[in-house]
Amino acid sequence: MKMTFRWYGPEADPITLENIRQIPGTSGIMGAMDWIPVGEVWSNEEISSYIRKVNEAGLECEVIESVNVHEDIKLGKPSRDSYIISYCKTLENLAAYGIKVVVYNFMPVFDWLRTELFHRNGDGSTCLYYDHEELEGLTPQDIVKATLDSSAFPLPGWEPERLADLDGVMAQYTDMTPDQLRDNYRYFLEGIIPTCEKVGIRMVVHPDDPAWDIFGIPRIVHSDSDLQKVIDLVNSPANSLCVCAGSLGSNPDNNVPAILEKYGDMGRVAAAHVRNVKFLGSKKFKEASHLSSDGSLDMYTIMKAIHDHCSNAYIRPDHGRMIWGEVGRPGYPLYDRALGITYLNGLWEAIDKAPTQ
Ligand code: DNO
Ligand code: MN
């Protein structure tokens, strides 16, 4: 296991590499370069300057999260071919600088989605929060505006350019079935996996967050059977998973440890996000601290499944709460994610040292 921390780059992240380096037991970062518009080739200059900074700070950068997939690929438009060529070029460039794993998602229109970014907890901290009933009373425009307005920082996967023509993009999905979306997904994977195999990169898909459909748009990566279908699209270790405990775990029907065990044994889990959620009702949850007793997921069992079934995975804490007066990108603070790392590393040490039965 390699413990990492998501970092948005020198300009975009208020958290510095020096901060990250001081978190005990953190080997490197999961790198994001969200300033590069979706669909553009990531240049060697851009990649090398980013990775040099990370390495000079004494940290590794072997994972990128994310290289986002252009909407035309998800929609299966004729222009997808040129976007796939660009995506392959980006992968070749990343591999040349030592990147081994690339996280991405295949969620149409929206990346992760919440109804509140600063939900106040009893102890004065704030967290990300989701209430499906509330969402159903909103239009997609309402939620996009509220989300972008309430954060002083750009949000990963929420590029304003991509959401500019929301009505137009949404309309193109109205008649699309999950199987049609999956066909477009297969086309994308068939286009990129040969390059991944050639350059030694493993693609890992991040599950839909939350783990159900929103606004009637098809979503195809949020259950065990969905994940099995993804694995079956292209049979290669380069077609693997990033198991996000909080995203899959937002739906109590998903057994996260069992998913880690199953796909871990198949050699198809190359990355994991480990975080906790607290169920508040049907399709209603808040993001708790990482501690098992604060949420509804059992972090010990999740870490044990990683330890026993996919111990080479890169992992990171996922979203954290805002605590101790920290101001920053919702979900991506320093303090609570650092606490998460310390706790997860503690669980790992205990699991590792426990006598085997
Ligand atoms: C949510 C986050 C996501 C994730 C992207 C990957 O749980 O981890 O923002 O990074 O969906 O493409
Ligand atoms: Mn995640």
Side-chain angles (χ1 to χ4, degrees):
M1 180 273 281
K2 279 195 178 180
M3 181 62 77
T4 63
F5 192 92
R6 194 175 196 182
W7 186 59
Y8 291 96
E11 314 290 329
D13 206 324
I15 299 166
T16 63
L17 291 167
E18 289 67 32
N19 293 154
I20 299 169
R21 196 185 178 187
Q22 290 166 1
I23 308 169
T26 307
S27 64
I29 61 147
M30 288 203 188
M33 300 189 214
D34 290 350
W35 61 88
I36 306 175
V38 182
E40 261 183 33
V41 175
W42 295 25
S43 70
N44 286 320
E45 297 70 38
E46 201 95 67
I47 298 168
S48 69
S49 118
Y50 182 96
I51 292 187
R52 191 172 3 94
K53 287 190 186 83
V54 176
N55 293 159
E56 280 170 6
L59 291 159
E60 294 176 344
C61 182
E62 297 180 339
V63 186
I64 290 293
E65 176 179 353
S66 316
V67 180
N68 285 338
V69 178
H70 196 278
E71 212 61 37
D72 287 6
I73 295 178
K74 298 175 197 164
L75 284 164
K77 289 192 170 179
S79 48
R80 66 182 163 176
D81 289 325
S82 74
Y83 285 118
I84 289 174
I85 291 169
S86 301
Y87 204 99
C88 289
K89 187 72 197 132
T90 294
L91 293 175
E92 283 168 2
N93 293 352
L94 288 171
Y97 291 94
I99 300 301
K100 299 184 171 26
V101 169
V102 169
V103 188
Y104 70 105
N105 71 74
F106 213 77
M107 289 178 249
V109 193
F110 303 98
D111 197 302
W112 57 275
L113 189 117
R114 297 289 180 270
T115 46
E116 229 183 300
L117 299 183
F118 295 99
H119 180 78
R120 192 153 293 276
N121 295 309
D123 62 4
S125 61
T126 64
C127 67
L128 304 184
Y129 173 92
Y130 180 93
D131 179 351
H132 197 67
E133 220 175 274
E134 219 176 287
L135 189 82
E136 286 187 319
L138 299 171
T139 64
Q141 286 74 8
D142 292 336
I143 194 75
V144 167
K145 188 169 181 328
T147 305
L148 296 175
D149 283 356
S150 58
S151 173
F153 293 85
L155 298 166
W158 282 79
E159 313 88 43
E161 322 83 68
R162 190 162 61 90
L163 299 166
D165 179 27
L166 193 58
D167 289 337
V169 184
M170 298 268 307
Q172 297 177 69
Y173 283 105
T174 338
D175 296 324
M176 192 186 282
T177 64
D179 281 339
Q180 283 167 336
L181 181 61
R182 212 171 349 256
D183 282 345
N184 296 342
Y185 192 3
R186 182 196 309 277
Y187 190 91
F188 169 64
L189 286 178
E190 284 175 349
I192 63 161
I193 294 298
T195 300
C196 295
E197 289 176 338
K198 192 177 81 200
V199 301
I201 278 190
R202 299 183 70 187
M203 295 299 296
V204 295
V205 66
H206 186 281
D208 304 332
D209 183 4
W212 46 78
D213 289 350
I214 44 167
F215 295 124
I217 307 168
R219 307 231 277 183
I220 52 170
V221 193
H222 53 262
S223 63
D224 180 17
S225 72
D226 283 352
L227 296 176
Q228 184 63 57
K229 286 179 190 152
V230 171
I231 292 299
D232 291 342
L233 287 177
V234 172
N235 183 17
S236 163
N239 173 27
S240 283
L241 309 176
C242 169
V243 174
C244 177
S247 302
L248 287 167
S250 62
N251 185 342
D253 294 343
N254 286 330
N255 181 337
V256 178
I259 286 173
L260 283 161
E261 289 171 16
K262 173 179 169 187
Y263 296 99
D265 286 347
M266 290 164 65
R268 296 298 192 96
V269 179
H273 294 167
V274 189
R275 71 172 151 90
N276 209 345
V277 288
K278 173 99 181 147
F279 304 140
L280 301 171
S282 166
K283 295 188 177 175
K284 183 172 172 180
F285 64 88
K286 66 177 183 174
E287 297 195 9
S289 84
H290 287 73
L291 198 70
S292 298
S293 55
D294 269 358
S296 303
L297 305 182
D298 184 341
M299 293 295 126
Y300 168 80
T301 321
I302 288 171
M303 289 302 282
K304 175 111 172 79
I306 296 172
H307 182 275
D308 293 352
H309 299 269
C310 41
S311 62
N312 290 329
Y314 293 88
I315 76 172
R316 67 167 177 84
D318 211 353
H319 308 152
R321 302 159 306 144
M322 288 296 173
I323 61 172
W324 304 337
E326 188 174 0
V327 178
R329 182 179 277 103
Y332 291 94
L334 172 63
Y335 303 144
D336 201 38
R337 283 190 296 161
L339 288 177
I341 288 191
T342 297
Y343 169 62
L344 298 176
N345 277 339
L347 285 175
W348 187 272
E349 181 177 344
I351 292 163
D352 209 41
K353 289 183 174 167
T356 39
Q357 268 98 49

